[in-house]
Amino acid sequence: MELDELERDALRELANIGLSRAATQLSELLNDHIEMTVPLVQVVPYGQVTQALQLDPHAMVATVWQSFSGQSEGTSMLMFPSEDSKRLVHALVGPSMREVGEDDLRGIEHEAMMEIGNIIITSGMAVIADMLGQEVQMSLPGYMEGNLPDIMEQRNRDNAGREMQAIIMFTQLKAAQREVEGRMVMLMSVDSVQVLFDRLHKLLRGL
Amino acid sequence: MKRWKSGWFRTPLRIVVAVGAVVFGVEFLFMALLHDVIMPLTSFTVSDTIWSIIDAVTLVVLVSPVLYFLVFVRMQRDFAELTRFFAELTDTLMMGVLLVDTDLRVHRWNQWMERKTGISSQQACGKLLTELFADFNSPRLLSAIDLCIKHKSPQLISQTLNRYVLPIPLLSTMHDLKLMQQQVSVAPLTNSRGETLAVISINDVTESVAKSSALARLATKMESQSNRDQLTGALTGIFCGHGWRRNSSKACAIARRSVA
Amino acid sequence: MKILIVDDSMTSRMLFKAYMPKDGRHELYEAAVLPDALEKMREVQPELVILDYNMPEHNGVEMAQAMLGAGFKAKFVLLTANTQRTVVDAALAAGFIQVVEKPVNAAKIVALLAQVA
C-alpha cells in the first residue's frame, strides 16, 4: 500500500507516542531508563511481510502476540531475535538466574518477554485506539518461539482465506545497557486496514 | 409515605404489579361507568360483538400481568441462581480471584483469598485494596488495572519481573521467603450497563520459586567446593572454566525435575 | 505571545496548531530540525518554545541546551509521551518549566498557556 507523506508521518507519530508510552511503563517496571526509537513504519501486503521484516529466516525469533477485535480486527505481534531477547532478560533478571537450570531459564525468559511484550503491544494499541477514536478489545497475550517462516505459517493457518495486510513498526529498544531490535507487526484484513485509515484521514482532516 | 414513594417501586416486579393493578382498576371503573351510568341514562347501546371484544381485552389485561409476573419471578430466580453459581465457581478455584474497579474497590473476593489473607469476603468487599493492604505498593498492578479497564486489554504480571503484587505474608516459613510470590493476570469484565471491572487472578508460585533458589544455592555451593582442593583449599585449575557451571546447572535442572 | 514548536512530526505540529485557542493572542512558528529551530529563534525571538523529546538527531533536551548555549532566552516546555522519571528529571535539570504529555488536546494547551502567561 502506497502511503502519502502525511499518512506516513501520522502513522509514525502514532507509533512514536505508543512506544514512548510503552517505554514509560517499562521504565517503571524495570526501574531503569528505557530508550525506544521509531525509525520506520511500513504497510505491506501479507505476502511481503517475511521479506519486509528483515530477519534471518533461519534465526530464532521470540514473538509475543495479542489478537484484537472491535471496529478493526487482527493480531498484533512483537518480534525480537531470540538471542537479543535472551540477553535482555539476563541483563534484567541478573544474577538470580545465573545458576538456575535450563528449563527454569526458558520459563523465566518466556515469562519476562511475555510481560514486556504485553506492555508494549497494549500501550501501542491503546494510543492508536485513543487517537483514532476506536474501541478495541485485546485478547490475553500468547508466546511463540521459532524461525520466521514457522511463525508466519502459524498465523497463516489462523487467517486462512482472508486477504491480509500488515503495518510494521521497527523499533530499537534499549534497556539495562542492552540493545534489542524489535518489530511490531499489526496483521489485519484489508477491510480492517481500510477502517483504520478512514479514521486516520478523519483525524488529519480535522487539522 | 416518602419511603414508600422512593423505595417500593425500585424492583421491576413491583412496577409490573402496580401497572397491572392500575390498568385493571381503570378498565373496571370505565366498564362500571358505561354499564351502570351512561347506558341507563342515555340511549347508548353496545352490541354483543363489542361486549365480546371488551371481555377479551379485559381478559388479556387481567392475564398478562399474571403471566408476566410468573415469567419474571422465574427469570429473577434463574438470575439469582446464576449469580450464586458463578460466585461459588470462583470459590472452587485453587487460585485467588478478586474483582476491583478503577478506584481499587473490591467487588468480589473468593474463598482462596479469604484463606490466604485471613480477610473475609464480607470484610473485603466494598473496601479499597490500599485499605486492606497498608503496605500495598505495586505501580505495575495499578497501571495494569488502568490498561485493563480503560482499554479492555488483559495484562500478565510475571513473578520474574515483579515478585508479587499484593503483600500477602506466608503462613508457613519453610524457607526464607516472607511474602507470597505471585504470578498474576488482570482481565476486563464488562456488565450490561457498560461498567468494566478488572478480574485479578493470583497464582501462588512461592514453592517453585523457593525450590529454584534452593537448587541455585546448592549449585553455587557445589561449584565452590569442587573448585577447591579438599586438603589444601586451593583453587583447582580443572574446574575453573565455565564447563562445570554449565554441567552443574544441568544437574540442577535434572534435580528439579525429579523433585517436581 | 510568540510560540515556537519544534517537532519532527508534521502531524504533531498540526495537532498542536489545531488545538490552540483561536483568540489571536498567540503567534505559532514551526521547525522540524535543530538548524531550522535556531534560525527561527534568531528570527522571531519566541517567548515560549515547545519541544518534542524523541527526535531523530537530537532529543528535545539536547535542542534546548543548544538554544541556551547559543544565548537565546525563552521558556521551554517538553511535549512527549515519554514521561519516564529519567526524561522528566533531565528536562527539569536543563531548565524546562514543564512537561506536557502527548497526545495533546485543547484542555492541555489552554492549561499550559494559562500557566506560562
Side-chain angles (χ1 to χ4, degrees):
Chain A
M1 185 174 179
E2 277 304 306
L3 302 179
D4 67 32
E5 202 188 329
L6 187 57
E7 286 172 336
R8 191 181 300 277
D9 183 88
L11 262 189
R12 197 170 170 275
E13 179 63 4
L14 283 183
N16 188 26
I17 296 179
L19 291 174
S20 295
R21 206 177 275 174
T24 307
Q25 299 260 355
L26 280 180
S27 78
E28 236 169 58
L29 169 67
L30 307 174
N31 215 0
D32 188 16
H33 177 72
I34 309 289
E35 275 176 46
M36 256 187 175
T37 57
V38 188
L40 196 63
V41 179
Q42 261 184 314
V43 182
V44 296
Y46 186 74
Q48 291 170 23
V49 173
T50 315
Q51 197 188 349
L53 282 170
Q54 297 167 28
L55 283 165
D56 175 2
H58 304 295
M60 294 292 272
V61 180
T63 305
V64 182
W65 58 272
Q66 277 183 273
S67 312
F68 56 92
S69 57
Q71 285 119 328
S72 287
E73 295 188 344
T75 308
S76 279
M77 300 192 282
L78 189 73
M79 298 177 166
F80 294 112
S82 278
E83 280 306 309
D84 279 12
S85 69
K86 278 195 177 70
R87 270 204 302 273
L88 174 70
V89 174
H90 281 239
L92 292 174
V93 183
S96 66
M97 62 187 276
R98 244 188 32 220
E99 300 296 348
V100 302
E102 280 169 34
D103 286 1
D104 285 345
L105 205 65
R106 206 165 300 131
I108 286 172
E109 281 162 12
H110 178 139
E111 222 186 86
M113 285 317 290
M114 188 121 115
E115 184 171 3
I116 290 172
N118 187 199
I119 291 175
I120 295 175
I121 292 174
T122 306
S123 307
M125 294 302 292
V127 167
I128 291 173
D130 270 357
M131 288 189 73
L132 300 184
Q134 280 192 311
E135 283 271 327
V136 172
Q137 286 95 41
M138 309 284 298
S139 73
L140 270 163
Y143 182 84
M144 291 184 276
E145 209 176 341
N147 60 32
L148 188 58
D150 284 352
I151 287 172
M152 295 316 285
E153 177 57 35
Q154 173 72 35
R155 289 290 97 200
N156 242 349
R157 241 173 282 153
D158 295 351
N159 301 312
R162 293 166 71 196
E163 200 186 338
M164 305 293 286
Q165 272 184 327
I167 301 178
I168 305 176
M169 303 163 201
F170 291 85
T171 178
Q172 213 150 13
L173 169 83
K174 195 172 165 190
Q177 278 85 50
R178 296 288 188 287
E179 252 178 64
V180 181
E181 291 268 355
R183 289 140 180 89
M184 180 153 149
V185 184
M186 286 167 67
L187 216 54
M188 296 189 279
S189 69
V190 173
D191 296 343
S192 288
V193 173
Q194 197 52 53
V195 171
L196 193 133
F197 270 85
D198 287 347
R199 293 278 178 160
L200 195 69
H201 290 147
K202 207 173 142 200
L203 173 81
L204 293 171
R205 266 202 309 275
L207 303 182
Chain B
M1 187 67 187
K2 201 174 175 189
R3 194 164 172 270
W4 180 85
K5 252 193 201 165
S6 59
W8 203 81
F9 277 110
R10 269 197 196 143
T11 68
L13 180 63
R14 286 173 180 179
I15 294 172
V16 168
V17 172
V19 169
V22 169
V23 168
F24 186 66
V26 168
E27 200 198 352
F28 183 79
L29 282 177
F30 172 73
M31 296 288 290
L33 195 73
L34 187 68
H35 195 264
D36 299 333
V37 182
I38 299 175
M39 280 172 60
L41 291 180
T42 63
S43 56
F44 183 74
T45 52
V46 177
S47 72
D48 282 354
T49 321
I50 299 291
W51 275 126
S52 324
I53 292 171
I54 290 175
D55 283 348
V57 169
T58 311
L59 196 70
V60 169
V61 167
L62 191 69
V63 168
S64 29
V66 175
L67 276 178
Y68 193 81
F69 180 85
L70 290 175
V71 170
F72 189 83
V73 166
R74 178 72 194 272
M75 271 169 59
Q76 207 179 32
R77 214 177 43 218
D78 286 353
F79 184 71
E81 174 71 10
L82 206 64
T83 312
R84 188 189 59 80
F85 180 78
F86 278 110
E88 281 185 13
L89 186 71
T90 59
D91 282 341
T92 63
L93 299 174
M94 293 290 285
M95 54 160 40
V97 176
L98 57 152
L99 259 79
V100 298
D101 57 25
T102 29
D103 302 330
L104 299 184
R105 197 171 294 286
V106 175
H107 290 250
R108 166 99 193 118
W109 189 263
N110 77 342
Q111 260 176 26
W112 190 94
M113 288 300 293
E114 289 186 330
R115 261 198 327 271
K116 298 284 180 174
T117 60
I119 302 168
S120 73
S121 170
Q122 273 165 324
Q123 287 171 301
C125 289
K127 289 257 175 57
L128 304 177
L129 276 184
T130 43
E131 292 172 329
L132 297 170
F133 298 96
D135 41 1
F136 171 80
N137 176 28
S138 172
R140 171 73 180 120
L141 182 63
L142 294 181
S143 77
I145 292 172
D146 189 59
L147 281 169
C148 169
I149 292 181
K150 269 198 203 139
H151 298 288
K152 312 281 187 297
S153 174
Q155 297 287 301
L156 292 182
I157 306 180
S158 66
Q159 187 278 332
T160 306
L161 298 177
N162 299 270
R163 307 290 171 227
Y164 57 87
V165 294
L166 295 179
I168 302 176
L170 291 167
L171 298 175
S172 67
T173 45
M174 300 280 280
H175 31 68
D176 48 7
L177 289 164
K178 298 278 183 291
L179 294 171
M180 181 201 288
Q181 302 295 296
Q182 299 155 1
Q183 192 172 33
V184 176
S185 77
V186 184
L189 193 67
T190 306
N191 66 17
S192 56
R193 292 189 296 276
E195 299 157 347
T196 303
L197 296 176
V199 186
I200 305 177
S201 321
I202 301 178
N203 267 308
D204 180 357
V205 293
T206 312
E207 285 310 315
S208 70
V209 170
K211 214 183 287 173
S212 287
S213 61
L215 283 167
R217 270 200 306 275
L218 188 70
T220 314
K221 202 171 154 194
M222 278 165 70
E223 185 180 17
S224 72
Q225 279 177 357
S226 315
N227 285 352
R228 285 181 186 281
D229 186 282
Q230 291 294 317
L231 283 173
T232 62
L235 281 169
T236 58
I238 307 165
F239 293 113
C240 284
H242 292 290
W244 166 246
R245 174 170 288 174
R246 210 163 42 237
N247 287 339
S248 68
S249 295
K250 238 178 227 163
C252 277
I254 293 163
R256 202 191 71 80
R257 271 199 297 272
S258 62
V259 173
Chain C
M1 180 165 48
K2 286 178 181 169
I3 303 170
L4 172 65
I5 176 160
V6 188
D7 196 320
D8 61 316
S9 162
M10 195 189 341
T11 309
S12 176
R13 299 196 305 269
M14 284 164 75
L15 274 171
F16 192 91
K17 201 195 280 181
Y19 289 128
M20 282 268 292
K22 313 277 183 292
D23 53 8
R25 288 168 52 204
H26 307 286
E27 288 170 46
L28 189 67
Y29 301 88
E30 300 175 30
V33 290
L34 184 60
D36 285 357
L38 289 170
E39 179 69 27
K40 282 268 160 41
M41 289 295 282
R42 199 175 46 77
E43 232 173 74
V44 299
Q45 307 274 335
E47 293 142 272
L48 179 64
V49 181
I50 317 263
L51 290 142
D52 178 27
Y53 181 76
N54 252 7
M55 288 186 276
E57 283 176 21
H58 309 273
N59 70 39
V61 175
E62 290 164 354
M63 280 202 188
Q65 282 162 343
M67 288 170 182
L68 289 168
F72 294 113
K73 296 239 175 323
K75 287 175 182 164
F76 292 97
V77 169
L78 196 66
L79 180 63
T80 180
N82 190 346
T83 52
Q84 50 183 315
R85 197 69 258 158
T86 42
V87 172
V88 174
D89 287 348
L92 297 179
F96 278 76
I97 57 164
Q98 210 183 324
V99 177
V100 176
E101 195 181 8
K102 270 188 185 179
V104 286
N105 55 35
K108 283 184 193 173
I109 294 181
V110 169
L112 171 69
L113 294 177
Q115 201 201 341
V116 173

